[in-house]
Amino acid sequence: YLSRTDLSYANLSDADLSYANLSEADLRCAYLNKAYLNEANLSEANLRDANLKKASLVGADLSWACLVAADLNGACLIEANLNKANLSDADLRCAYLSRTDLSYANLSDADLSKADFGNANLSHAKFHGADLCRTDFRGADLSHAEFH
């Protein structure tokens, strides 16, 4: 168990942390480029400014996680739980978020260009100032989402 562990600034690129319990872990500025975090528990983790470029987070629990200014460019978050996560200023260009729960998530000022939110739950999510260029929302639940 790595719950509540300080892994800030750690180089974990290409690491296989699938199914790991990283709840409440400090992963600020961690380098997780191309890491495997499938089904990992990252609830309430601090991933501020973390590099998760092209990481695989399929089915991961990121509820209440802090992902402010995180780089998730090209990351795969299919069926992940990001309920109430803070993704403000995050880079989610070309990210795969289909069937993901982003209800009540903060995506303000995030770059969501070319991201795939197909069939995702985005109810009550905040998109203030987000870049939505060529973002795919087909089948997504956008009820009560805020765009202004």
Side-chain angles (χ1 to χ4, degrees), residues 43-60:
S43 61
E44 299 184 63
N46 185 353
L47 290 143
R48 179 184 292 268
D49 293 308
N51 182 338
L52 291 145
K53 191 178 280 189
K54 296 187 179 175
S56 183
L57 295 125
V58 176

Side-chain angles (χ1 to χ4, degrees), residues 93-105:
R93 288 175 292 155
C94 302
Y96 301 94
L97 297 123
S98 59
R99 299 182 306 280
T100 297
D101 182 1
L102 286 141
S103 54
Y104 295 92

Side-chain angles (χ1 to χ4, degrees), residues 4-148:
R4 297 185 179 167
T5 303
D6 184 355
L7 295 167
S8 55
Y9 298 93
N11 185 351
L12 300 165
S13 75
D14 296 307
D16 189 351
L17 296 165
S18 297
Y19 304 100
N21 183 357
L22 292 157
S23 61
E24 299 180 55
D26 185 355
L27 290 153
R28 281 173 297 130
C29 302
Y31 192 72
L32 292 151
N33 186 34
K34 297 182 184 174
Y36 294 92
L37 292 150
N38 301 321
E39 303 288 334
N41 181 356
L42 291 150
S43 61
E44 299 184 63
N46 185 353
L47 290 143
R48 179 184 292 268
D49 293 308
N51 182 338
L52 291 145
K53 191 178 280 189
K54 296 187 179 175
S56 183
L57 295 125
V58 176
D61 183 359
L62 291 142
S63 57
W64 292 92
C66 175
L67 291 142
V68 173
D71 186 351
L72 291 146
N73 187 334
C76 184
L77 294 123
I78 294 170
E79 296 182 346
N81 178 6
L82 286 124
N83 174 261
K84 297 182 180 169
N86 186 351
L87 293 136
S88 58
D89 292 309
D91 182 353
L92 287 147
R93 288 175 292 155
C94 302
Y96 301 94
L97 297 123
S98 59
R99 299 182 306 280
T100 297
D101 182 1
L102 286 141
S103 54
Y104 295 92
N106 183 359
L107 294 146
S108 299
D109 300 311
D111 188 346
L112 308 174
S113 53
K114 298 183 186 175
D116 179 2
F117 288 98
N119 298 304
N121 180 1
L122 295 157
S123 63
H124 301 276
K126 293 178 177 67
F127 293 94
H128 306 284
D131 184 346
L132 302 171
C133 181
R134 295 173 57 192
T135 303
D136 185 354
F137 288 112
R138 283 180 284 190
D141 179 1
L142 290 160
S143 59
H144 306 285
E146 298 176 22
F147 290 92
H148 298 290

